[in-house]
Amino acid sequence: MALRSRSIALMLSFIFVAQAFALQPKVNHPLDALTVDEYWKTYNLLQTAGKLAEKTIFASVLLREPPKAQVLAWKPGKPMPRKVDAVLLTDGKSYEAVVDITAGKIDSYTELKNYQAPMTETEMHGFDDVLKKDPRVMEALTKRGITDTRLVTCYVTPAGYVGLPEQEEGKRIGWGGCTYSANAKYGWDREIPGIFFIVDVAGKKIVRFSDYGVVPMPPTSSLYDADGGSALPGTQPILTSQPNGPSFTIKDGEVSWQNWKFRFRLDPRVGPVVNLVTYMDEGKPRSVLYEGALSEMYVPYQDPEETWNSHVFLDAGEYFVNTGSGGIIKPLQAGIDCPTYATFFSGTFFHENGTPYIRPQLACMFERVSGDPAWRHWDEDTYAISGRPTRELVFRTVATVGNYDYLFDWRFEQDASITVGVGATGILEVKAVKDQRADGKLSANMEGTDTDGKPVQFGQLVAPGTSAVDHDHYFSYRLDLDVDGTKNSLMVDKLVPFKLPDTSLGRKWIWAMKPEMIATEGDAKLNVSLDHPAMWRFSNEGVKNSLGQNTSFEIMPGETGISLLPSSEWPQKRAGFSEHSLWVTPYDPTERYVSGVYVMGSKGDDSLPEWVKQNRSIMNTDIVAWYTVGFHHVPRAEDWPQMPIMWHMFSLRPFGFLNKNPTMDLPMVP
Amino acid sequence: MALRSRSIALMLSFIFVAQAFALQPKVNHPLDALTVDEYWKTYNLLQTAGKLAEKTIFASVLLREPPKAQVLAWKPGKPMPRKVDAVLLTDGKSYEAVVDITAGKIDSYTELKNYQAPMTETEMHGFDDVLKKDPRVMEALTKRGITDTRLVTCYVTPAGYVGLPEQEEGKRIGWGGCTYSANAKYGWDREIPGIFFIVDVAGKKIVRFSDYGVVPMPPTSSLYDADGGSALPGTQPILTSQPNGPSFTIKDGEVSWQNWKFRFRLDPRVGPVVNLVTYMDEGKPRSVLYEGALSEMYVPYQDPEETWNSHVFLDAGEYFVNTGSGGIIKPLQAGIDCPTYATFFSGTFFHENGTPYIRPQLACMFERVSGDPAWRHWDEDTYAISGRPTRELVFRTVATVGNYDYLFDWRFEQDASITVGVGATGILEVKAVKDQRADGKLSANMEGTDTDGKPVQFGQLVAPGTSAVDHDHYFSYRLDLDVDGTKNSLMVDKLVPFKLPDTSLGRKWIWAMKPEMIATEGDAKLNVSLDHPAMWRFSNEGVKNSLGQNTSFEIMPGETGISLLPSSEWPQKRAGFSEHSLWVTPYDPTERYVSGVYVMGSKGDDSLPEWVKQNRSIMNTDIVAWYTVGFHHVPRAEDWPQMPIMWHMFSLRPFGFLNKNPTMDLPMVP
């Protein structure tokens, strides 16, 4: 009843609230996303300058962030420098343009000689006709009894450099294959096994064709109920709502929630970029993170056959900037991906022809109550119990990268920590195999023998004749932590066994915490280890909490993995970041992308492992953390036809940043 | 409006539902908890047999589970064997009784010679007067200027065996200290520094007194708002409710929710015991877990001083069976520890005098919707998005072990996995130190030097003059997995680098999955490793899914830790389970407690590392997993005065157990 009497007032406030929240397609801050107007300005400046041929493809159009010092010095009302990094592709040649929108001029325009534009949608799917009419493809189709070529689709995918002869000349090289969709229910199990070719992408021709042998295509997978099944008998509703609207506010693009403030933009290449994160402490906003964003993804498949081990994806930089119409970020579903009461945000991206568009529901923000306490205690003396409920703020996007869908969360907590979550779901990439069933193993027709003569497997059956190939996922996050300012140091606090003097009664050994400030980036390659645990803190030597401790934030890993491939292997040279859980470098505005600005065809010369060879000092200076969330995926039958979501997390956690637990005085209602 | 019109019907159904859910204090199944009647029968049988002296303490009264084969063969209506394991303490001597409630007789009654009863509340807090009148204690108090002994409390704690001379004779030995509560706001920072003594518990006297030096007591900590603070301005309500009641049903003690069925009891020693977990698949309940429960906890502190490194707690078996009035489990708060709409369950425990009592709100069960999807996908071809929301069932208890509070969750998921969560919160144990502030370090007055001359630290300031000592937490779970029956095998699927033939184009290395069935328990000591990752599966060689794969469940670790102490160290001999993440043994009904049935004073002879020296076969037989959730705790200022909750998890996950993802056809509403 009480609820009902408030509903008219609430409805009015709803309208007000909803309006206040819409992110204006407007530039309020130097780090805000490009607007429709700005995409058009970029287009017009390039067109006027004669840089656009009829078939020029805009392979990438990204905000060029102003130098950090300039951003930190900027105040509302001051002039706002706005620049764009654009990459154009004309007749197979790549061009890099820096466009100054504010000044209305092109700062630079260069043909890329040693680098290439990321692969574009047109290149991936645009010359199916040419490919499937290649006589070698035609012959392979005939050999497989496939005659209805209307149902055949051939595609190209960027061929990450692996030292193939075809890649030697620095050409724009892809690999590809074909699908056959007769009687298909959905597409991901319709790859024609054995057909593999190397494509000169600029020349639009197959430069090598390989037929790795005929294997019958598996039966099409059974359909699932795409529109939702019936609830199991007895299922009762769970109602979750926020009738007065959310507690966060957004003013000029700045989000405020509880003690947190931050900005964000949706970037076509790396997805959500979170900026200028501060935590309000005793009435004062304190800096935590200048910028946090995904830097690159790396997904290498693990099969002896070239058809499948060619699958080495560096998704963010290599080709998802504009493919699939809208960059890496894809729409979210209210009530499925985010609660129905979530607030959604649109994003402004670009078509291949350089023209902008706005797509709704690309990010969501919501508060939630888990039913878990912030803290609680039972006092043995008084039999008193105390505690507090808690809520959190979730900022979420989803990237779809072909078959896979990745939820990317930034979760802001009341205890002053931030949890970054990656939820992997979507569809497995599968390979047709001869056998319909396994015989007690997980695999069929995907076996080998190790050097000790013991059997190994490369993939698992997930449906009859359908095998999902083993692979890894690595997500490199660039975390420009600025704990109470830009000058930070990396503390590695190792936990080491410590022998007590022989005179010690009872215990002879304990462990001790051995703090070490890491001097240079060469020594800042760190792995999660059960045997050699350590804490990783970003500490400010110049600022103390009330206890006299240097203020710091810790990166706390969750369950994670590193690459098992030797660093001599080409994919590892290109994605060397995956060899360690954490790297730390001094801030350098040119180091944003862990596998380089230009990833297509790269040999890894512009990459984190190369940068750190300089062995620059990382003490008491502006430093950047590169943390990788990694996991190996040995697929299960239960991962088909869609994968149950699998979350991996890490946290940024205050450590002596505050004077005490900030959740002590929370209210009794979450 | 729709909601409102249903409310009368709902209220009626509420009443019905609430009644149906109450766990009858009744024995429906051989594994059900002891009832008030059964505690009384135990008491009466022992009294009649003349085993109870005036001051006999019931140190432990636990259900003695019937042999597994008998339980599995049992059907409702059949006779139900009910027995009790009781441990009595009379005049410092320990006695073990097996009481047959059904037959109304005592099966056995033996004085324990090499073992001891767990420590009791009376022993811990019952002779404060004797202790504080000890002249050495009096002198130490005087030296510290403490004259009001009304405010002094001296206590005893079980002294885990560490080879002290006082422990040599096998006596019942404790260590203790005193607190001084003048002007205290709460108790955990009121330890009088430096006072330490060894107590002959049976003899009620101090056998060694040590004064480790006078350090002023720190200022009392500031009070927090124990009754709840004000919400920050702009905080809007989040409403979560289940107006029709929960979707789970409980019939004769069996919980049914979605495709899951299981039983549980609340055990005074190990807390919640989950039994007979099955997953309904194609209309047929399939066995997953015969029993899952905590087996032991181990919390060793790490300080060179005996005052603090004496803190080595094996909480479940050593003394929390009956201390603090009610065993390990403590009440939960609706709206703080569990949602307001949760269903709560009482537990039946025993007082030290052997009489039973029922305490409410010792467990809660609730469904929740996180706003995360079960799965989702964006289809590049059709621009179609699909997905499903999900809900989970949480079964929760909380253990308070002195200062610490541990939430223990069993979370049942719609994707057929079970997540086990341990949430650590409560109050740090703190040591008074001289300095009120640190000088840029985290520590003050808790430093040492490593063998290489570099500084190490043993604890951190959390308040002025108040240091929290470094320590570990290990939770050993005994998981009697029965995947499709009792006969299972342990598969360790290692991921190993795999060299491709020189003829391979492109890639030269991949990794491969190398499955290995582990033959004996001696080879089943497994660690989480970044460099040597592996999957751990419990596989049934006799049952296949529709793809011909042996059905299996995987134990999937989360972030965890193992002990850093050498195995030569006494605490490690007693809690050797903490040296590996996973151990697997053949089922043996006498192996329930990983550090032994009798932990007080034990030297570790009845413990997991000793058992596995038999090197028994674990192939195609009934096997038990011992998984340890572990973490090192280097406390922060933000952990004071109460610790923000820190969760650690692991999962039991189907792997080829089903034929496909079971969440495909979920409804569109969670």
Side-chain angles (χ1 to χ4, degrees):
Chain A
M1 286 296 276
L3 199 68
R4 237 191 124 225
S5 62
R6 286 157 72 189
S7 65
I8 293 169
L10 291 185
M11 280 185 64
L12 289 173
S13 69
F14 256 136
I15 296 164
F16 172 76
V17 164
Q19 285 185 333
F21 284 172
L23 261 197
Q24 307 292 335
K26 185 185 153 186
V27 181
N28 290 297
H29 186 276
L31 296 175
D32 283 356
L34 294 174
T35 61
V36 165
D37 278 354
E38 291 180 324
Y39 278 108
W40 275 119
K41 278 183 189 162
T42 304
Y43 182 94
N44 292 335
L45 284 164
L46 288 166
Q47 179 64 289
T48 305
K51 306 301 184 193
L52 304 186
E54 183 67 25
K55 299 242 164 159
T56 293
I57 296 173
F58 283 69
S60 176
V61 184
L62 302 174
L63 173 74
R64 184 183 181 86
E65 287 192 9
K68 185 169 172 178
Q70 206 174 326
V71 174
L72 291 173
W74 182 84
K75 294 269 180 285
K78 283 205 180 177
M80 208 161 351
R82 297 285 286 176
K83 293 191 178 187
V84 165
D85 281 318
V87 182
L88 306 180
L89 189 65
T90 303
D91 292 332
K93 291 184 175 170
S94 303
Y95 300 87
E96 174 191 270
V98 179
V99 180
D100 186 331
I101 297 174
T102 312
K105 69 185 178 61
I106 295 171
D107 279 357
S108 70
Y109 183 83
T110 332
E111 185 182 345
L112 292 171
K113 290 296 185 189
N114 299 314
Y115 298 106
Q116 297 177 25
M119 201 153 184
T120 62
E121 181 63 18
T122 293
E123 293 169 306
M124 288 181 69
H125 298 121
F127 43 103
D128 161 57
D129 272 1
V130 178
L131 298 172
K132 74 184 178 194
K133 283 180 189 153
D134 184 287
R136 295 161 291 185
V137 173
M138 297 287 277
E139 186 193 334
L141 294 175
T142 306
K143 196 186 288 181
R144 286 160 173 81
I146 297 172
T147 51
D148 186 355
T149 55
R150 288 167 46 92
L151 300 179
V152 172
T153 307
C154 299
Y155 60 87
V156 183
T157 293
Y161 190 83
V162 283
L164 293 175
E166 299 86 357
Q167 293 177 313
E168 288 305 325
E169 293 165 41
K171 273 195 183 150
R172 195 164 173 81
I173 295 294
W175 61 259
C178 305
T179 60
Y180 177 53
S181 59
N183 304 308
K185 288 159 189 156
Y186 39 89
W188 288 100
D189 57 359
R190 298 293 92 205
E191 180 87 16
I192 304 172
I195 295 183
F196 179 85
F197 43 74
I198 298 291
V199 177
D200 170 355
V201 180
K204 291 189 190 179
K205 61 171 185 236
I206 293 176
V207 293
R208 169 161 65 90
F209 179 87
S210 301
D211 190 333
Y212 281 96
V214 179
V215 172
M217 287 181 71
T220 57
S221 287
S222 55
L223 276 180
Y224 52 90
D225 183 349
D227 295 321
S230 317
L232 289 175
T235 302
Q236 302 292 0
I238 299 175
L239 306 182
T240 316
S241 65
Q242 220 173 350
N244 289 11
S247 311
F248 57 84
T249 56
I250 302 181
K251 188 172 181 312
D252 296 339
E254 186 184 56
V255 182
S256 297
W257 181 79
Q258 298 275 323
N259 290 314
W260 292 105
K261 285 186 195 294
F262 64 95
R263 309 189 65 84
F264 70 87
R265 73 173 188 272
L266 303 181
D267 182 89
R269 176 166 174 161
V270 297
V273 179
V274 170
N275 283 110
L276 295 165
V277 181
T278 64
Y279 185 84
M280 185 74 74
D281 178 33
E282 295 173 2
K284 196 178 69 181
R286 293 172 59 190
S287 168
V288 173
L289 185 71
Y290 177 74
E291 183 164 294
L294 190 74
S295 176
E296 190 53 87
M297 288 182 273
Y298 169 45
V299 186
Y301 282 71
Q302 314 291 347
D303 183 37
E305 281 186 20
E306 187 187 22
T307 47
W308 275 89
N309 69 40
S310 51
H311 292 53
V312 177
F313 303 115
L314 284 156
D315 288 311
E318 206 168 37
Y319 66 121
F320 262 83
V321 184
N322 88 350
T323 53
S325 306
I328 195 174
I329 312 182
K330 292 296 183 294
L332 293 157
Q333 305 157 90
I336 294 175
D337 299 315
C338 314
T340 47
Y341 63 81
T343 300
F344 289 84
F345 302 95
S346 57
T348 307
F349 293 146
F350 62 100
H351 291 298
E352 277 197 1
N353 66 4
T355 63
Y357 65 92
I358 298 179
R359 173 175 276 171
Q361 306 228 155
L362 291 191
C364 73
M365 196 176 288
F366 58 96
E367 295 173 90
R368 68 175 167 193
V369 172
S370 63
D372 300 340
W375 58 268
R376 67 95 65 200
H377 185 61
W378 159 269
D379 189 79
E380 294 283 356
D381 289 336
T382 59
Y383 295 180
I385 40 179
S386 55
R388 290 297 190 286
T390 185
R391 58 169 72 189
E392 68 178 351
L393 181 74
V394 180
F395 172 53
R396 173 172 293 172
T397 59
V398 66
T400 302
V401 180
N403 57 313
Y404 258 100
D405 295 58
Y406 302 115
L407 270 75
F408 294 129
D409 275 12
W410 287 83
R411 302 181 188 168
F412 295 85
E413 314 292 351
Q414 288 178 316
D415 70 2
S417 66
I418 299 171
T419 303
V420 178
V422 177
T425 175
I427 303 187
L428 288 163
E429 282 208 77
V430 291
K431 175 182 178 177
V433 292
K434 186 169 56 66
D435 288 338
Q436 304 302 294
R437 280 171 59 93
D439 56 350
K441 293 172 297 185
L442 296 171
S443 300
N445 315 124
M446 289 197 69
E447 289 99 28
T449 306
D450 203 0
T451 46
D452 60 3
K454 292 191 176 158
V456 295
Q457 304 175 6
F458 311 114
Q460 296 71 41
L461 275 190
V462 296
T466 308
S467 192
V469 181
D470 295 340
H471 57 278
D472 299 316
H473 299 263
Y474 301 100
F475 305 86
S476 168
Y477 277 88
R478 180 179 178 275
L479 302 164
D480 184 355
L481 285 150
D482 280 357
V483 179
D484 279 322
T486 56
K487 287 194 176 177
N488 290 174
S489 301
L490 171 64
M491 296 299 303
V492 174
D493 303 318
K494 295 177 186 162
L495 310 190
V496 296
F498 185 83
K499 192 171 185 324
L500 298 181
D502 292 341
T503 52
S504 168
L505 295 169
R507 300 274 295 273
K508 304 301 176 197
W509 284 87
I510 58 171
W511 56 257
M513 193 268 263
K514 191 170 181 178
E516 188 185 351
M517 187 182 292
I518 305 299
T520 63
E521 59 188 338
D523 290 328
K525 304 173 187 178
L526 302 165
N527 284 351
V528 173
S529 168
L530 215 63
D531 295 319
H532 300 287
M535 300 193 305
W536 303 331
R537 289 186 302 116
F538 293 76
S539 170
N540 189 322
E541 302 287 299
V543 182
K544 310 269 184 274
N545 70 2
S546 69
L547 297 168
Q549 297 163 329
N550 294 332
T551 62
S552 77
F553 254 75
E554 175 188 17
I555 294 186
M556 179 171 272
E559 175 64 11
T560 190
I562 57 171
S563 179
L564 301 175
L565 304 180
S567 52
S568 60
E569 189 71 4
W570 276 112
Q572 282 308 117
K573 290 186 191 168
R574 304 176 70 232
F577 68 85
S578 60
E579 284 163 30
H580 300 288
S581 307
L582 180 70
W583 307 59
V584 177
T585 59
Y587 172 82
D588 179 334
T590 69
E591 295 173 1
R592 295 183 63 78
Y593 304 110
V594 74
S595 284
V597 177
Y598 297 103
V599 183
M600 171 80 191
S602 84
K603 296 183 184 176
D605 53 327
D606 176 22
S607 71
L608 181 57
E610 291 299 313
W611 305 336
V612 304
K613 285 179 180 167
Q614 300 167 78
N615 207 21
R616 295 163 291 185
S617 169
I618 52 170
M619 282 196 295
N620 199 23
T621 186
D622 194 358
I623 57 178
V624 173
W626 307 81
Y627 181 81
T628 291
V629 176
F631 58 99
H632 313 290
H633 190 176
V634 176
R636 313 169 292 165
E638 289 86 350
D639 288 332
W640 190 258
Q642 301 270 5
M643 287 170 280
I645 196 163
M646 166 83 73
W647 285 96
H648 287 78
M649 317 274 185
F650 68 95
S651 294
L652 306 177
R653 214 169 76 113
F655 205 119
F657 182 76
L658 304 172
N659 304 326
K660 62 170 187 135
N661 177 352
T663 67
M664 291 313 303
D665 296 336
L666 288 178
M668 296 300 275
V669 173
Chain B
M1 286 296 274
L3 200 65
R4 237 190 124 226
S5 62
R6 286 157 72 189
S7 63
I8 294 169
L10 290 184
M11 279 182 64
L12 290 173
S13 70
F14 257 138
I15 296 164
F16 173 76
V17 162
Q19 284 184 332
F21 284 172
L23 261 197
Q24 308 293 334
K26 185 185 154 188
V27 181
N28 290 296
H29 187 276
L31 295 175
D32 282 356
L34 294 175
T35 61
V36 164
D37 278 353
E38 291 180 324
Y39 278 107
W40 275 119
K41 279 183 189 164
T42 305
Y43 181 93
N44 292 333
L45 284 165
L46 289 165
Q47 179 64 291
T48 305
K51 306 302 185 193
L52 304 186
E54 183 66 27
K55 298 241 165 161
T56 294
I57 296 173
F58 282 68
S60 176
V61 184
L62 303 175
L63 174 74
R64 183 183 181 86
E65 287 191 10
K68 186 169 172 180
Q70 204 174 328
V71 173
L72 291 174
W74 182 84
K75 294 268 180 285
K78 282 205 182 178
M80 209 163 350
R82 297 284 287 175
K83 295 192 178 187
V84 165
D85 281 317
V87 182
L88 306 180
L89 190 66
T90 303
D91 292 331
K93 291 184 178 171
S94 302
Y95 301 87
E96 175 191 89
V98 179
V99 180
D100 186 332
I101 298 174
T102 312
K105 68 186 178 62
I106 295 171
D107 280 357
S108 68
Y109 182 82
T110 333
E111 184 183 345
L112 292 171
K113 289 296 183 191
N114 298 314
Y115 299 106
Q116 297 177 24
M119 201 151 183
T120 63
E121 180 63 20
T122 293
E123 294 169 306
M124 288 182 68
H125 298 120
F127 43 103
D128 162 56
D129 272 2
V130 178
L131 298 171
K132 75 185 180 192
K133 282 179 186 151
D134 184 286
R136 294 161 292 185
V137 174
M138 297 285 280
E139 185 194 335
L141 293 174
T142 306
K143 197 186 285 181
R144 286 160 174 82
I146 297 172
T147 51
D148 186 356
T149 54
R150 287 167 47 89
L151 300 179
V152 173
T153 307
C154 299
Y155 60 87
V156 183
T157 293
Y161 189 85
V162 282
L164 292 177
E166 299 85 359
Q167 294 177 312
E168 287 306 325
E169 293 164 43
K171 275 196 183 149
R172 197 164 172 81
I173 295 293
W175 59 259
C178 305
T179 61
Y180 177 52
S181 59
N183 304 307
K185 286 157 190 157
Y186 39 88
W188 288 100
D189 57 358
R190 297 292 94 202
E191 180 86 17
I192 304 172
I195 295 183
F196 180 83
F197 44 74
I198 298 290
V199 176
D200 170 353
V201 180
K204 293 189 187 179
K205 61 173 188 236
I206 292 176
V207 292
R208 170 161 64 91
F209 179 88
S210 302
D211 190 334
Y212 281 96
V214 178
V215 172
M217 287 182 70
T220 57
S221 286
S222 54
L223 277 180
Y224 52 90
D225 184 348
D227 296 321
S230 317
L232 289 175
T235 302
Q236 302 292 359
I238 300 175
L239 307 182
T240 315
S241 65
Q242 218 173 353
N244 289 11
S247 309
F248 57 84
T249 55
I250 302 180
K251 187 174 179 311
D252 295 338
E254 185 184 57
V255 182
S256 298
W257 180 79
Q258 298 276 323
N259 290 314
W260 292 105
K261 285 186 195 298
F262 63 95
R263 309 188 66 83
F264 69 87
R265 73 171 188 271
L266 303 180
D267 181 90
R269 175 165 176 164
V270 298
V273 179
V274 170
N275 283 110
L276 295 165
V277 181
T278 65
Y279 185 84
M280 185 73 74
D281 179 33
E282 295 175 1
K284 196 178 65 180
R286 293 172 59 191
S287 168
V288 173
L289 185 72
Y290 177 75
E291 183 164 294
L294 189 74
S295 177
E296 191 51 89
M297 289 182 273
Y298 170 44
V299 185
Y301 281 71
Q302 314 292 345
D303 183 36
E305 282 187 17
E306 188 188 22
T307 47
W308 275 88
N309 69 40
S310 51
H311 291 53
V312 176
F313 303 114
L314 284 156
D315 287 311
E318 207 167 36
Y319 66 118
F320 261 84
V321 183
N322 88 350
T323 52
S325 306
I328 196 174
I329 311 182
K330 293 295 185 293
L332 293 157
Q333 305 159 90
I336 293 176
D337 299 314
C338 313
T340 48
Y341 62 82
T343 300
F344 289 85
F345 302 95
S346 58
T348 307
F349 293 147
F350 63 99
H351 292 300
E352 277 196 0
N353 66 5
T355 63
Y357 65 91
I358 298 180
R359 175 174 273 171
Q361 306 228 155
L362 291 191
C364 73
M365 196 176 289
F366 58 96
E367 295 173 272
R368 67 176 167 193
V369 172
S370 63
D372 301 340
W375 58 268
R376 67 95 65 199
H377 186 60
W378 158 270
D379 189 78
E380 294 283 357
D381 289 337
T382 59
Y383 295 0
I385 40 178
S386 54
R388 291 295 190 288
T390 187
R391 59 169 71 188
E392 68 177 352
L393 181 73
V394 180
F395 172 52
R396 174 172 292 172
T397 59
V398 67
T400 301
V401 180
N403 56 314
Y404 257 98
D405 295 59
Y406 303 115
L407 270 74
F408 293 130
D409 275 12
W410 287 83
R411 303 182 187 167
F412 295 85
E413 314 293 349
Q414 289 178 315
D415 70 2
S417 66
I418 299 171
T419 303
V420 178
V422 178
T425 176
I427 303 187
L428 287 164
E429 283 208 76
V430 290
K431 174 181 178 176
V433 292
K434 186 168 55 65
D435 288 339
Q436 303 302 294
R437 281 171 58 93
D439 56 350
K441 292 172 297 186
L442 296 172
S443 300
N445 315 123
M446 288 197 70
E447 289 100 28
T449 305
D450 202 359
T451 47
D452 61 3
K454 292 191 177 158
V456 294
Q457 303 174 9
F458 310 112
Q460 296 72 41
L461 276 190
V462 295
T466 308
S467 192
V469 181
D470 295 340
H471 57 279
D472 299 316
H473 300 263
Y474 301 100
F475 305 87
S476 169
Y477 276 88
R478 180 177 177 276
L479 303 163
D480 184 355
L481 286 150
D482 280 358
V483 179
D484 278 325
T486 55
K487 287 194 176 178
N488 290 174
S489 301
L490 171 65
M491 297 298 303
V492 173
D493 303 319
K494 295 178 186 162
L495 311 190
V496 296
F498 185 83
K499 190 168 187 324
L500 298 181
D502 292 341
T503 51
S504 168
L505 295 168
R507 299 274 294 275
K508 304 301 178 197
W509 286 87
I510 58 171
W511 57 256
M513 191 266 264
K514 192 171 181 176
E516 188 184 352
M517 186 184 293
I518 304 299
T520 62
E521 59 188 338
D523 289 330
K525 304 174 186 177
L526 301 164
N527 284 351
V528 173
S529 168
L530 215 63
D531 295 319
H532 301 286
M535 301 194 305
W536 302 331
R537 289 186 302 115
F538 292 76
S539 170
N540 190 322
E541 302 289 297
V543 182
K544 310 270 183 273
N545 70 3
S546 69
L547 297 169
Q549 297 163 328
N550 293 333
T551 63
S552 77
F553 254 75
E554 175 189 17
I555 293 186
M556 179 172 272
E559 176 65 10
T560 193
I562 56 171
S563 179
L564 302 175
L565 303 180
S567 51
S568 59
E569 189 72 3
W570 276 111
Q572 282 307 117
K573 289 186 191 166
R574 305 175 70 233
F577 68 86
S578 61
E579 284 162 30
H580 299 288
S581 307
L582 180 70
W583 307 59
V584 177
T585 59
Y587 172 82
D588 179 333
T590 69
E591 295 173 0
R592 295 183 62 80
Y593 303 110
V594 74
S595 283
V597 177
Y598 297 102
V599 183
M600 171 81 191
S602 84
K603 295 183 183 174
D605 53 327
D606 176 22
S607 71
L608 181 57
E610 291 300 313
W611 305 336
V612 304
K613 285 180 181 168
Q614 301 167 77
N615 207 23
R616 295 164 290 185
S617 169
I618 53 170
M619 282 195 295
N620 199 25
T621 187
D622 193 359
I623 56 178
V624 173
W626 306 83
Y627 180 81
T628 291
V629 175
F631 58 98
H632 313 291
H633 190 176
V634 177
R636 315 170 291 166
E638 290 86 351
D639 288 331
W640 189 258
Q642 300 270 6
M643 287 170 279
I645 196 164
M646 165 85 71
W647 285 96
H648 286 78
M649 316 274 185
F650 68 95
S651 295
L652 306 177
R653 214 168 76 113
F655 205 119
F657 183 76
L658 304 172
N659 303 326
K660 62 170 188 137
N661 177 350
T663 68
M664 292 312 305
D665 296 337
L666 288 179
M668 297 301 277
V669 172

